[in-house]
Amino acid sequence: MDTQAELAQRFDRSRGRLRDVAYRMLGSADEAEDAVQEAWLRASRAGAEGVTNLNAWLTKIVSRICLDMLRSQRRRGEEFADLAELDKLAPPDPATDPADEAVLADSVGLALLVVLDTLAPAERVAFVLHDLFAVPFEEIAEIVERSTAATKKLASRARQRVHGTAVVSAADFTRRREVVDAFLAASRAGDLEGLLAVLAPDVVRRSDVSTRPGEELEIRGAHRLTHETLANSGRAHFARPILVDGALAIAVAPLGRLRLVLLLTIDDDRITAIEVIGEPARLRGLELALPEGA
């Protein structure tokens, strides 16, 4: 077997891991596949003669490609689909090909992909490689072209942004999280009584966008909001808890691409107000983080 054929075989065995690395860096299955293909072209041209750790070498190649792609195209906020189409999207089917983008996004975590998309390119690469794939900082430093100490700071800064701190006490956060989880569970299940149990009778929903023709920007009352929520139940499958400026909220993010954020006011274990943010400029200005346990 010649060297090139052996390299091709070993690359194919590493392809799944390389795609996983690229997907978490880029947040797009198509872009991740492009990055892996480009990594093969570069590896095949360079040859692996003298390479002692092939996995590390290939990871370095694909990571540099992803870093270049992130620097050249900041995707956050650029792909806002018609919000009226949200309710036509089907939730990912676990039986589908694991390489399918919907399944990939769901398995990685929709909220994580949203928060990763807020990081600077070098921060995202450092965080993904170290915290998600346990790549040593010395190797990451070569990829991002920083010192090891500076690379550790990159990852630390990214970690602090990804894993947010709630602005309320642990006990209050737990109580609020139970309310949010109950609201999402009832929304996904189409549970009328479950929704009424977590919505205050005089709840108000305000929105800065209309997500379907004729939708009012403000509605009042639990029954009206419940019926609207049930009519929009499709988007609940893509909704996850998230922190916004340290407060517990809900992100609607099909394929990990942020479409809506719901800011919640919770009093006495009931949701008393919901502010729906869908305007792209406002979404880009939010400080997003993962809540504890996400």
Side-chain angles (χ1 to χ4, degrees):
M1 178 182 295
D2 60 33
T3 303
Q4 192 74 357
E6 184 177 356
L7 175 59
Q9 283 190 343
R10 297 185 65 182
F11 186 92
D12 282 341
R13 289 198 293 269
S14 301
R15 183 180 291 273
R17 182 178 186 276
L18 295 175
R19 186 174 58 242
D20 288 345
V21 170
Y23 181 70
R24 284 155 180 80
M25 288 185 185
L26 300 171
S28 162
D30 288 341
E31 290 178 5
E33 193 58 46
D34 289 344
V36 172
Q37 185 59 29
E38 176 62 22
W40 162 245
L41 294 175
R42 295 189 187 185
S44 63
R45 285 196 298 265
E49 184 176 355
V51 174
T52 57
N53 186 332
L54 187 68
N55 283 334
W57 182 64
L58 293 174
T59 299
K60 182 184 298 185
I61 293 173
V62 80
S63 297
R64 282 176 170 165
I65 293 168
C66 290
L67 181 57
D68 288 342
M69 293 173 71
L70 287 169
R71 284 171 171 166
S72 64
Q73 182 183 14
R74 297 300 293 137
R75 193 172 50 80
R76 189 186 185 206
E78 294 176 0
E79 299 182 29
F80 289 85
D82 183 355
L83 292 172
E85 298 297 311
L86 275 177
D87 300 308
K88 299 178 183 179
L89 296 175
D93 182 352
T96 305
D97 182 352
D100 179 84
E101 183 148 10
V103 178
L104 272 173
D106 198 52
S107 64
V108 171
L110 302 182
L112 174 60
L113 289 173
V114 167
V115 176
L116 287 177
D117 218 21
T118 69
L119 302 178
E123 288 178 340
R124 184 165 184 168
V125 169
F127 176 82
V128 167
L129 289 177
H130 183 265
D131 286 45
L132 304 185
F133 291 93
V135 176
F137 280 119
E138 293 76 13
E139 296 178 18
I140 302 172
E142 294 182 24
I143 295 167
V144 297
E145 299 179 324
R146 310 281 180 95
S147 68
T148 300
T151 302
K152 289 180 179 179
K153 289 181 181 179
L154 274 179
S156 176
R157 188 161 60 240
R159 194 177 302 117
Q160 290 173 2
R161 292 184 63 187
V162 170
H163 300 290
T165 302
V167 294
V168 298
S169 68
D172 196 25
F173 177 82
T174 298
R175 180 178 61 81
R176 289 169 182 262
R177 180 64 186 262
E178 289 173 351
V179 173
V180 171
D181 288 345
F183 174 73
L184 288 176
S187 299
R188 292 172 189 139
D191 180 0
L192 176 67
E193 296 303 320
L195 285 169
L196 290 174
V198 296
L199 295 173
D202 56 350
V203 62
V204 180
R205 191 275 294 150
R206 299 182 178 91
S207 178
D208 64 4
V209 292
S210 292
T211 61
R212 59 174 59 198
E215 184 177 76
E216 298 177 60
L217 294 183
E218 179 178 315
I219 63 172
R220 294 177 177 269
H223 284 279
R224 288 193 67 195
L225 182 54
T226 294
H227 287 294
E228 178 187 77
T229 301
L230 295 179
N232 297 338
S233 61
R235 69 188 64 173
H237 294 288
F238 306 102
R240 299 291 186 275
I242 202 165
L243 289 181
V244 177
D245 296 327
L248 193 59
I250 295 172
V252 180
L255 306 180
R257 296 173 176 88
L258 188 62
R259 297 292 186 259
L260 300 170
V261 166
L262 280 62
L263 304 182
L264 309 172
T265 302
I266 300 174
D267 296 309
D268 298 325
D269 297 334
R270 293 283 188 95
I271 298 172
T272 59
I274 300 175
E275 180 184 359
V276 181
I277 299 176
E279 205 281 321
R282 292 188 69 196
L283 289 175
R284 286 193 292 271
L286 298 176
E287 288 292 331
L288 307 175
L290 292 182
E292 184 178 351

